[in-house]
Amino acid sequence: MLEVRNVDTRYGKIQALWDICLEVNQSEIVALVGANGAGKTTLVDTISGLLQPAAGSVLFQGERIDCLPSHVIVGLGISHVPQGGKVFPDMNVRENLEMGSYPINAWKQKTETFEQVFQLFPRLQERQKQLARTLSGGEHQMLAIGRALMSKPTLCIFDEPSYGLAPLLVKEMFRIIQNLREQGITILLIEQNVRQSLEIADRAYVLENGRVNLQGACDELLQSDYVRKAYLGL
């Protein structure tokens, strides 16, 4: 479904990614893990069209998308839940959700999609008229995910969905991600919470200093001495 081929990304003269190769197959959860500053957000911003690669290519469903603007990429079926959610604080919950449904096909189905989002997040239905800036951290993240789902994605990219959440809410967030995969949405999951990511994903890539240092099936990576020492504290 998604293929990143030999991508370099720069901020001006500063190179942040080197020769990144990554694949996400349909119906998979693929985890991208690494420490702060490893380049995870830079990579997903490149996939989403927020940054242009200096070299290499990004393909979705076999077609290059690295030359396309972000709003066109969303219309093709890729939704991106950014780190921290970044909802519209002075819009209410329903208005925020509606903003996610602007692609033509999604707009035509928005009534049905509202019901699906409210079924997944009943709390959002209860708070439809509440301003986003008044929501709790967990509700804020639910709203960001709900807004992404309103565009009817086939691939959803989550950038640090557990960021700033209490432990019980982190567990719930990972359960929601698994639920979305069961509903047919392919997931690219970017996380610092390495253990929980590897426990729910099929495959994973370990990013260090802008390079893919390790990749493989998650059950194998969980047994890797390097991963256990560097990321699991074992």
Side-chain angles (χ1 to χ4, degrees), residues 12-24:
K13 296 182 179 180
I14 300 173
Q15 187 160 345
L17 298 178
W18 283 263
D19 198 32
I20 299 293
C21 294
L22 175 148
E23 291 183 358
V24 181

Side-chain angles (χ1 to χ4, degrees), residues 34 39 69 74 92 113 131 151 167 192 204 206 224 233:
V74 172
N92 66 33
T113 313
L131 291 181
S151 68
Q192 290 187 67
V206 179
S224 161

Side-chain angles (χ1 to χ4, degrees), residues 18-140:
W18 283 263
D19 198 32
I20 299 293
C21 294
L22 175 148
E23 291 183 358
V24 181
N25 299 315
Q26 188 168 349
S27 302
E28 280 190 314
I29 297 178
V30 173
L32 179 65
V33 300
N36 269 337
K40 304 186 299 298
T41 294
T42 299
L43 178 54
V44 297
D45 284 352
T46 303
I47 294 169
S48 299
L50 298 173
L51 294 171
Q52 292 289 312
S57 57
V58 180
L59 291 87
F60 181 63
Q61 305 286 24
E63 301 293 331
R64 283 191 68 170
I65 63 171
D66 51 273
C67 56
L68 300 176
S70 296
H71 69 276
V72 174
I73 292 174
V74 172
L76 293 174
I78 299 178
S79 279
H80 178 181
V81 182
Q83 182 176 355
K86 295 184 174 65
V87 297
F88 300 101
D90 294 318
M91 290 184 177
N92 66 33
V93 166
R94 189 174 185 88
E95 290 167 339
N96 265 274
L97 292 174
E98 197 166 62
M99 288 294 290
S101 63
Y102 74 86
I104 293 174
N105 290 335
W107 187 264
K108 292 176 180 178
Q109 303 176 64
K110 69 174 182 175
T111 300
E112 175 188 340
T113 313
F114 265 122
E115 294 305 316
Q116 293 170 350
V117 169
F118 289 152
Q119 186 174 11
L120 184 63
F121 299 117
R123 200 171 302 175
L124 296 183
Q125 186 171 21
E126 297 169 3
R127 289 161 170 70
Q128 289 185 63
K129 296 183 179 180
Q130 189 169 327
L131 291 181
R133 60 183 166 81
T134 66
L135 299 177
S136 68
E139 291 165 348
H140 192 277

Side-chain angles (χ1 to χ4, degrees), residues 169-213:
L169 289 175
V170 170
K171 185 176 180 180
E172 176 67 8
M173 196 58 58
F174 279 94
R175 185 196 66 77
I176 288 166
I177 291 169
Q178 288 177 289
N179 181 279
L180 293 176
R181 192 260 287 273
E182 291 168 3
Q183 294 179 24
I185 298 176
T186 302
I187 305 291
L188 177 58
L189 173 63
I190 291 78
E191 260 292 343
Q192 290 187 67
N193 194 324
V194 176
R195 177 179 292 279
Q196 286 190 268
S197 298
L198 296 182
E199 286 176 349
I200 70 166
D202 301 294
R203 296 184 298 109
Y205 295 81
V206 179
L207 201 62
E208 294 184 349
N209 299 316
R211 295 177 170 87
V212 174
N213 186 48

